[in-house]
Amino acid sequence: MQKTSISSDQFLSSNLEPFVVVWLRRDLRIEDNHALYAALSTHKNVLPVFIFDTQILNKLEDTTDKRVQFIHDQLRLLNEKLSEQGSAILVLHGNPVSIFKTLPCKAVYTNSDYEPYAKKRDLEVQITLQKRGIDFFDFKDQVIFEKDEILKKDESPYTIFTPYSKQWKLKLTSTGIHPYETQPHFKNLYPTNPIAIPTMEAIGFEETPSTFPDRKIKLKTIQDYHQHRDYPGIEGTSKLSVHLRFGTVSIRKLVQLAITQNETWLNELIWRDFYHMILWHFPKVEKSFKRQYDKIEWRNGEQDFNKWCEGKTGYPLVDAGMRELNETGFMHNRVRMVTASFLTKHLLIDWRWGEAYFAKKLLDFDLAANNGGWQWAAGCGCDAAPYFRVFNPTLQENKFDPDRVYIKKWIPEIDTPQYPKPIVDHAMARDRALETYKMALTNT
């Protein structure tokens, strides 16, 4: 017999025994979840809680933002799984600091988030809880190695990927990774009827039915990743990035798989750790990592930028990528590099404009990776492509989409007069970019 759902207000207004909160954020799963494991193996009456953070939601311009829909969908799935265990997830909407001032809890467990806003928010929550005599515990979960776990001999952070990745692999070999087996402890979940999740409308968004990448791991895709990953016209990538971003899959599970199946794919997962480590140590992401690059005199043509956003630059691989992004919230990684290079080098538009646009559109938006990727493309990042490396979009197309499978999918008018002429000449734009960069760097 199906249990009757209660509202979050009904749940909180009942005579509750204080419960232990596991505050979910970027870890929307109950399997192999470090904070959940730590709470369940220590306490009874453990209740997962998710907060639709108004400090974040209020900055989203689009009320049909697919990421909010993705989170909402995952919360519904979590609620169903927890209902099978006689428990639920409590989903709230508001400012987390305000919510934790009154939430009837006796301890809060959560997994670390390394973004500047998250660090500030978590510190404020911790102080708020301490004033109430409530403990706050955080755990490493979304990365394999964090913060100061991998340092140079002089105890400074690595800023070049290759030596970092070597140390990462050595440390993994010596320490290993293991899943956090939560299932044996599900008996310690807080017993309750299902708690209704606020509707999308209740949190200020519209229900937007969308098709999201499957979290199912395609073993053959991973095994062949090194051969197929650069070709956007074939299914050569795992499409797991959105699930990694919101923690609907465990990074530990993926790394264990990568170790046995494909080192190239493993290296991509290490890049993810690398960028999170960089963000932790160098949180001033609004600046170029190499500060002298902030002296570049960007042209910042709004008309050119709008054409880039719309996928109407006249360069097919660039335009196909932007149209894929606008329609689906996804863009193939090879194409991300090409589109970013085109914006910063061909059009001489500040990388921060492109970073902000991707931040609005990408389903898998992650500040560490997005900022790192854009600074890499612009040449100003910690381990960036040299500034004189300017992708030729036509050569990239010929090499990685020779039959135009990807391009024809996203640009149906490609071979008709309706497709625009190139907005800039490649040779001229390349020379202009090199001269502009050179002037900025020689004047420092």
Side-chain angles (χ1 to χ4, degrees), residues 69-197:
Q69 184 68 61
F70 179 83
I71 293 169
H72 201 267
D73 290 352
Q74 297 306 315
L75 292 173
R76 284 190 288 224
L77 290 174
L78 272 179
N79 219 11
E80 291 171 10
K81 288 183 178 180
L82 287 162
S83 179
E84 293 170 3
Q85 304 300 326
S87 188
I89 184 168
L90 174 63
V91 178
L92 303 171
H93 177 230
N95 184 325
V97 178
S98 300
I99 286 171
F100 279 110
K101 285 180 179 177
T102 58
L103 197 66
C105 53
K106 57 185 179 181
V108 175
Y109 285 67
T110 195
N111 289 315
S112 297
D113 192 336
Y114 310 103
E115 295 188 4
Y117 163 70
K119 287 158 66 176
K120 177 176 177 290
R121 174 201 61 201
D122 289 359
L123 180 59
E124 290 176 1
V125 167
Q126 185 175 9
I127 292 169
T128 297
L129 291 169
Q130 282 175 344
K131 289 177 180 176
R132 297 177 60 198
I134 296 170
D135 288 328
F136 178 92
F137 304 98
D138 64 335
F139 300 86
K140 177 180 65 174
D141 185 77
Q142 62 164 306
V143 293
I144 300 298
F145 298 116
E146 64 172 7
K147 302 177 185 176
D148 295 329
E149 287 192 304
I150 296 180
L151 297 171
K152 299 180 193 175
K153 289 182 180 178
D154 64 2
E155 297 193 344
S156 64
Y158 282 95
T159 58
I160 303 296
F161 174 74
T162 299
Y164 171 85
S165 67
K166 288 179 181 176
Q167 289 304 311
W168 190 101
K169 290 173 183 175
L170 284 173
K171 190 173 180 80
L172 187 74
T173 301
S174 63
T175 60
I177 51 173
H178 61 277
Y180 293 95
E181 300 289 356
T182 53
Q183 289 90 333
H185 304 285
F186 281 165
K187 62 183 180 297
N188 290 331
L189 286 164
Y190 189 94
T192 176
N193 277 6
I195 306 169
I197 295 172

Side-chain angles (χ1 to χ4, degrees), residues 276-294:
H276 276 287
M277 180 273 298
I278 290 292
L279 181 64
W280 174 264
H281 285 283
F282 307 97
K284 302 290 186 184
V285 291
E286 69 280 2
K287 301 280 189 182
S288 296
F289 186 88
K290 298 173 181 173
R291 291 301 168 83
Q292 66 268 36
Y293 280 75
D294 282 334

Side-chain angles (χ1 to χ4, degrees), residues 129-333:
L129 291 169
Q130 282 175 344
K131 289 177 180 176
R132 297 177 60 198
I134 296 170
D135 288 328
F136 178 92
F137 304 98
D138 64 335
F139 300 86
K140 177 180 65 174
D141 185 77
Q142 62 164 306
V143 293
I144 300 298
F145 298 116
E146 64 172 7
K147 302 177 185 176
D148 295 329
E149 287 192 304
I150 296 180
L151 297 171
K152 299 180 193 175
K153 289 182 180 178
D154 64 2
E155 297 193 344
S156 64
Y158 282 95
T159 58
I160 303 296
F161 174 74
T162 299
Y164 171 85
S165 67
K166 288 179 181 176
Q167 289 304 311
W168 190 101
K169 290 173 183 175
L170 284 173
K171 190 173 180 80
L172 187 74
T173 301
S174 63
T175 60
I177 51 173
H178 61 277
Y180 293 95
E181 300 289 356
T182 53
Q183 289 90 333
H185 304 285
F186 281 165
K187 62 183 180 297
N188 290 331
L189 286 164
Y190 189 94
T192 176
N193 277 6
I195 306 169
I197 295 172
T199 64
M200 289 284 283
E201 290 74 17
I203 61 171
F205 289 80
E206 300 172 40
E207 192 78 34
T208 310
S210 301
T211 301
F212 298 110
D214 195 340
R215 82 174 76 184
K216 183 179 179 183
I217 297 169
K218 302 181 182 74
L219 190 59
K220 187 72 166 64
T221 299
I222 293 168
Q223 291 169 340
D224 296 340
Y225 179 78
H226 59 295
Q227 296 175 309
H228 297 158
R229 68 175 181 143
D230 283 316
Y231 298 89
I234 62 177
E235 290 292 327
T237 61
S238 69
K239 296 282 185 76
L240 289 172
S241 57
V242 65
H243 295 287
L244 265 174
R245 164 61 181 86
F246 293 105
T248 53
V249 295
S250 161
I251 182 62
R252 290 173 289 278
K253 180 178 181 179
L254 297 188
V255 166
Q256 286 173 332
L257 182 66
I259 289 167
T260 61
Q261 300 299 326
N262 196 301
E263 186 167 12
T264 304
W265 197 58
L266 175 63
N267 286 334
E268 291 301 305
L269 298 177
I270 300 173
W271 268 106
R272 183 174 172 273
D273 267 19
F274 177 69
Y275 279 141
H276 276 287
M277 180 273 298
I278 290 292
L279 181 64
W280 174 264
H281 285 283
F282 307 97
K284 302 290 186 184
V285 291
E286 69 280 2
K287 301 280 189 182
S288 296
F289 186 88
K290 298 173 181 173
R291 291 301 168 83
Q292 66 268 36
Y293 280 75
D294 282 334
K295 299 192 177 192
I296 293 171
E297 293 189 14
W298 303 106
R299 298 184 78 241
N300 289 345
E302 290 194 17
Q303 189 175 9
D304 285 349
F305 180 68
N306 290 335
K307 287 181 178 178
W308 176 84
C309 291
E310 295 167 2
K312 295 179 180 177
T313 68
Y315 283 88
L317 191 59
V318 173
D319 293 342
M322 296 307 296
R323 295 186 193 191
E324 179 186 27
L325 173 65
N326 291 334
E327 185 170 326
T328 69
F330 177 82
M331 191 193 294
H332 187 277
N333 191 55

Side-chain angles (χ1 to χ4, degrees), residues 331-351:
M331 191 193 294
H332 187 277
N333 191 55
R334 166 61 56 174
V335 186
R336 293 188 196 198
M337 292 190 286
V338 175
T339 57
S341 175
F342 186 86
L343 184 76
T344 54
K345 305 288 178 62
H346 285 72
L347 301 182
L348 277 176
I349 289 175
D350 193 327
W351 60 269

